[in-house]
Amino acid sequence: MSSLPLHGITVIAVEQAVAAPLATRHLADLGARVIKVERCGDGDFARHYDTAVHGISSHFVWLNRGKQSVAVDLKHPDGVALVHRMIATADVVVQNLGPGAAERLGLGAAQLRERQPDLIVANLSGYGADGPYRERKAYDMLVQAETGLCSLTGTPDGPAKAGVPVADIATAMYALSAIQAALFRRERTGQGATVAVTMFDATTEWLTHPMYLQRYAGEQLPRMGVAHATIAPYDAYPTADGQILIGVQNDRGWRALVTEVFAAPALADDPRFATNIARVRHRAEVDAIVAEHTRARATADLEERLAAAGVPAARLNSMADLVAHPELAGRRRQVDTEAGPVEALAPPMGFDDAALAMGAVPALGQHTDALLTELGLATGHIADLCSRHVVQ
């Protein structure tokens, strides 16, 4: 759709797993044509993580809608030559191959931009090309551990990784932002760009606050479950029929909680609790007081009272609760897959004058023949490449 901001932009994505595919999926949602280069045979290994969505991997359905799939053997010189022909028509190349692999294939940023100075090349990696860890494997779990994120996540009994691949997602979002900025600059100057985003750097950016505490105060933030190390009350509290999370961010919130919700105004000015610093110092007493009041009411009643008083609160929902959540009603859409239509959520960003694209999730090699024809290859040539397993 011509009204979408990235209409007319072509992206070649030599990608797999999560980080690069999430970045390029957002580019596709914003209107770019994204051509996904996959291995012959198995394709992106994220296709095989599970079979939850009508036999298709839930990761793959999440990360790859709106793309065109071309299956090419990059170990074959003819396959690499085909990818180079695709890149010659492109605006952006995104890759998250293993260390040094892009350069060995002639797909390194310097190699590509020597031929196409206005090309934007985004390299996503675990640790970058120059550092001491550049050859290390860098899956999401490993990066969460290496950056110290796991030391902050979990309970006092032990560390945990986050329940979703936050290192991958952080990397994808910084790559997306940088690619769009590079496209904007190219519009003004004609200049291409080489963009580098590492999982380690993206994740440590998110950890800057606890890093500052460690660097300048010598404090390691403790693992607190759903509680907060420097705010109180901020935790899950029992109700008559379950539990609720209350997060008081300031002293006004404390006053509203104890006066309007708990009808215990004396607690507002009690010197043990009047300021957040005091409440953190007396955290056990604060939590006991809050729990005493919350367990006297049903969750729904308490939720209404907290909302009316402007006190931040939420239910501790499960994934089943999220699937049925009323806030998602306006974001439900359908996308096509090789197994039929499935429910998807509209992108979290929106434009008031255009609905973002939500194209189909491609089957492996679904667009190979059409794209090779578009590049000018004759039917017989394509058949020969298929017979030699250069393409699929």
Side-chain angles (χ1 to χ4, degrees):
M1 292 179 285
S2 60
S3 58
L4 290 176
L6 296 184
H7 175 77
I9 297 295
T10 297
V11 180
I12 306 300
V14 187
E15 61 179 22
Q16 56 194 358
V18 176
L22 180 56
T24 59
R25 195 218 79 188
H26 283 304
L27 293 172
D29 286 343
L30 290 164
R33 182 190 191 189
V34 177
I35 299 171
K36 182 181 180 75
V37 178
E38 300 189 65
R39 291 186 297 271
C40 294
D42 292 334
D44 181 340
F45 55 70
R47 286 184 178 274
H48 310 288
Y49 283 168
D50 60 64
T51 57
V53 186
H54 302 323
I56 306 173
S57 161
S58 55
H59 273 80
F60 196 84
V61 172
W62 165 40
L63 298 166
N64 290 286
R65 67 169 179 242
K67 302 179 186 180
Q68 296 175 302
S69 172
V70 181
V72 180
D73 181 3
L74 289 178
K75 294 181 179 180
H76 196 292
D78 290 348
V80 175
L82 289 173
V83 173
H84 279 286
R85 291 181 67 168
M86 295 179 205
I87 291 172
T89 70
D91 303 280
V92 180
V93 173
V94 179
Q95 69 86 17
N96 67 336
L97 300 174
E103 287 73 18
R104 290 192 294 273
L105 294 169
L107 300 175
Q111 298 160 304
L112 295 177
R113 293 189 60 218
E114 183 176 3
R115 294 190 292 271
Q116 292 172 250
D118 64 344
L119 188 66
I120 294 163
V121 181
N123 299 318
L124 282 64
S125 64
Y127 294 98
D130 302 320
Y133 282 30
R134 60 186 176 275
E135 298 294 333
R136 292 202 181 190
K137 297 288 186 183
Y139 303 138
D140 179 85
M141 175 190 69
L142 305 179
V143 174
Q144 288 195 42
E146 193 70 41
T147 58
L149 175 59
C150 292
S151 77
L152 308 177
T153 308
T155 70
D157 294 332
K161 73 177 184 66
V164 295
V166 294
D168 282 319
I169 294 169
T171 306
M173 292 299 97
Y174 287 117
L176 174 67
S177 175
I179 290 166
Q180 292 177 106
L183 285 168
F184 180 65
R185 185 179 71 174
R186 195 182 71 168
E187 282 294 306
R188 293 180 288 115
T189 68
Q191 179 182 350
T194 299
V195 171
V197 183
T198 79
M199 294 173 68
F200 188 82
D201 290 347
T203 308
T204 53
E205 170 63 23
W206 285 15
L207 292 167
T208 301
H209 155 240
M211 285 178 67
Y212 277 153
L213 283 175
Q214 181 65 54
R215 173 68 179 82
Y216 292 102
E219 295 180 13
Q220 160 78 34
L221 277 179
R223 294 185 299 273
M224 301 283 291
V226 296
H228 196 291
T230 58
I231 302 174
Y234 196 113
D235 208 335
Y237 298 96
T239 66
D241 58 352
Q243 58 182 339
I244 195 165
L245 194 147
I246 297 173
V248 170
Q249 294 278 0
N250 52 51
D251 300 336
R252 293 188 306 278
W254 171 253
R255 182 173 293 273
L257 176 66
V258 297
T259 59
E260 299 179 41
V261 181
F262 295 164
L267 294 171
D269 297 315
D270 188 313
R272 295 172 299 168
F273 315 130
T275 68
N276 181 65
I277 292 173
R279 290 192 298 276
V280 170
R281 189 177 298 124
H282 297 91
R283 183 189 297 275
E285 294 168 81
V286 169
D287 286 344
I289 290 168
V290 173
E292 178 185 356
H293 286 274
T294 59
R295 68 165 50 95
R297 296 186 180 277
T299 304
D301 174 47
L302 187 57
E303 189 175 31
E304 289 183 10
R305 287 174 173 270
L306 290 163
V311 176
R315 297 188 185 219
L316 281 162
N317 282 336
S318 66
M319 286 298 98
D321 297 323
L322 178 61
V323 167
H325 203 290
E327 280 292 326
L328 296 182
R331 286 183 58 200
R332 299 186 195 281
R333 305 286 189 275
Q334 279 196 336
V335 298
D336 290 328
T337 75
E338 59 187 304
V342 301
E343 185 179 276
L345 295 178
M349 62 284 198
F351 290 74
D352 63 2
D353 60 349
L356 297 192
M358 294 183 65
V361 178
L364 176 61
Q366 179 178 340
H367 304 92
T368 301
D369 285 2
L371 284 165
L372 295 185
T373 300
E374 185 180 320
L375 289 174
L377 276 66
T379 302
H381 189 183
I382 296 172
D384 174 63
L385 292 170
C386 289
S387 69
R388 292 189 290 120
H389 306 291
V390 177
V391 300
Q392 177 182 338

